Amino acid sequence: MAENQSKATQASEPTQAPVLRPGRAADPVPAPVAADGGNSATVPARQAEENAATGPASEAGSGPGATAGSGENQSEENQVAGSGKPEKVLAESRQRKLRLMLRQCDRVLLMDFDLLAMNGWPDNFAMAEARRSRDLWLFSALIAAAIFLSGLTGFVPAWIAGGGFGAFVIILLLGIPAVRRVYTNKPSYLDLVITRQRMLREARQHVAHLEGSDGLIWQCARMADFNPALKNTRFSHLLRLSENRILSRQLTRREHVRLYLIYLMEAEKAYSRVQKAFFEGNQQAIDRGWEDVAAAPEPRA
């Protein structure tokens, strides 16, 4: 009787719609191992309920509000990129300028200080003393020759003329470098003149090697921002000669070579500062991710 009444009651109630339960996730998270089977069975059910609860919220977040938020983020990124672009262009221009300076002035490092300083240059005192010794030697030789010639004419006795001839021969022998070195170590006036000419010739050859076919110091003048001493007006004449490629031929005095050496020393200081600035700019470009700015210069042909 009771079973018939329950069946009649179920038949009289309206048919309920089927309940749709959420399925498993696309990438299921492995369920933690529980102590008993009941807890492990409830974990997937809880995850399913959470997925069903967050579903409408995620759909609401993907609406117009989310689109506006993404648009604002994109505009901010564009502004950041736009503000970084001028900095990148300026950094690239600066690095290109520094590379050009380093490439045009790298021959400064080939400078031979001892050759251009000419430390063994005979000073004016040594030249004057050697000139006085030379004049004394010439005067003595002339006196001895005059006595000998006077004896030939009978103006003086023969024995005096013979003594004058012997003195003349001895004085001439003392003028020979190999004989003169026997009794003195002082160089003659001719030796000092030859030494000066040799040192000046070697210095001019070295300057011609440094200047090359394009000139050197007039190209180093653009490094004046790193060393204001390069702007000194006393170097202006040398810069014009270097620009006209005739500098080595115009260095006819030691003062000119020393002035050229001073300019090279100042240019070497500026070169080291330019090199330091170039490396620092390279490091900053690498830190910011500007690989094209930090690219190495092309090898010279």
Side-chain angles (χ1 to χ4, degrees), residues 131-142 170-176 183:
R131 189 184 298 109
R132 185 168 55 252
S133 299
R134 183 202 61 180
D135 295 340
L136 180 62
W137 175 79
L138 289 176
F139 181 74
S140 302
L142 289 176
I170 293 175
I171 292 173
L172 288 181
L173 290 176
L174 293 178
I176 300 175
Y183 67 92

Side-chain angles (χ1 to χ4, degrees), residues 188-199:
S188 64
Y189 180 77
L190 182 61
D191 294 337
L192 296 180
V193 172
I194 293 176
T195 301
R196 280 191 170 187
Q197 293 178 351
R198 176 182 56 80
M199 296 181 68

Side-chain angles (χ1 to χ4, degrees), residues 64-296:
T67 305
S70 62
E72 293 177 356
N73 295 334
Q74 186 175 4
S75 63
E76 291 178 358
E77 293 177 357
N78 294 335
Q79 290 178 0
V80 173
S83 61
K85 187 174 182 181
E87 295 181 0
K88 180 179 179 181
V89 172
L90 291 177
E92 186 175 2
S93 177
R94 175 179 172 81
Q95 290 299 104
R96 189 183 303 110
K97 181 180 178 181
L98 295 178
R99 281 197 299 267
L100 182 61
M101 290 182 187
L102 295 177
R103 182 175 182 181
Q104 291 179 341
C105 303
D106 57 354
R107 299 180 71 87
V108 173
L109 303 178
L110 302 178
M111 175 189 63
D112 190 343
F113 178 83
D114 295 332
L115 188 59
L116 295 179
M118 294 187 289
N119 295 323
W121 182 266
D123 55 3
N124 293 332
F125 178 77
M127 294 291 293
E129 186 178 3
R131 189 184 298 109
R132 185 168 55 252
S133 299
R134 183 202 61 180
D135 295 340
L136 180 62
W137 175 79
L138 289 176
F139 181 74
S140 302
L142 289 176
I143 293 297
I147 293 174
F148 172 70
L149 293 177
S150 298
L152 294 179
T153 59
F155 185 76
V156 295
W159 65 272
I160 296 178
F165 177 76
F168 177 74
V169 173
I170 293 175
I171 292 173
L172 288 181
L173 290 176
L174 293 178
I176 300 175
V179 178
R180 186 180 63 253
R181 293 191 186 96
V182 174
Y183 67 92
T184 181
N185 294 325
K186 294 182 178 180
S188 64
Y189 180 77
L190 182 61
D191 294 337
L192 296 180
V193 172
I194 293 176
T195 301
R196 280 191 170 187
Q197 293 178 351
R198 176 182 56 80
M199 296 181 68
L200 185 60
R201 182 176 62 254
E202 292 176 353
R204 293 175 62 182
Q205 291 177 354
H206 185 58
V207 170
H209 172 68
L210 293 177
E211 289 291 316
S213 59
D214 298 328
L216 175 62
I217 63 174
W218 76 275
Q219 297 184 88
C220 296
R222 66 180 61 194
M223 296 190 301
D225 295 337
F226 295 89
N227 189 0
L230 298 178
K231 298 180 181 179
N232 199 313
T233 55
R234 62 175 177 169
F235 302 125
S236 58
H237 184 60
L238 293 179
L239 295 177
R240 287 194 298 268
L241 295 177
S242 177
E243 187 175 3
N244 296 328
R245 281 77 168 174
I246 57 174
L247 177 60
S248 60
R249 298 195 298 269
Q250 299 298 324
L251 299 179
T252 57
R253 301 178 60 182
R254 185 196 182 200
E255 291 78 8
H256 301 160
V257 179
R258 295 294 293 270
L259 186 62
Y260 182 82
L261 174 62
I262 293 173
Y263 189 90
L264 285 184
M265 293 175 64
E266 298 294 340
E268 188 176 12
K269 294 179 183 178
Y271 185 89
S272 62
R273 296 171 185 173
V274 171
Q275 194 174 29
K276 181 179 179 181
F278 175 75
F279 290 149
E280 290 179 354
N282 256 9
Q283 186 61 41
Q284 292 178 2
I286 293 174
D287 294 341
R288 295 189 178 185
W290 299 338
E291 298 298 337
D292 50 347
V293 176

Side-chain angles (χ1 to χ4, degrees), residues 39-56:
N39 294 335
S40 62
T42 58
V43 172
R46 291 180 181 177
Q47 292 179 356
E49 292 177 357
E50 292 177 357
N51 292 334
T54 56

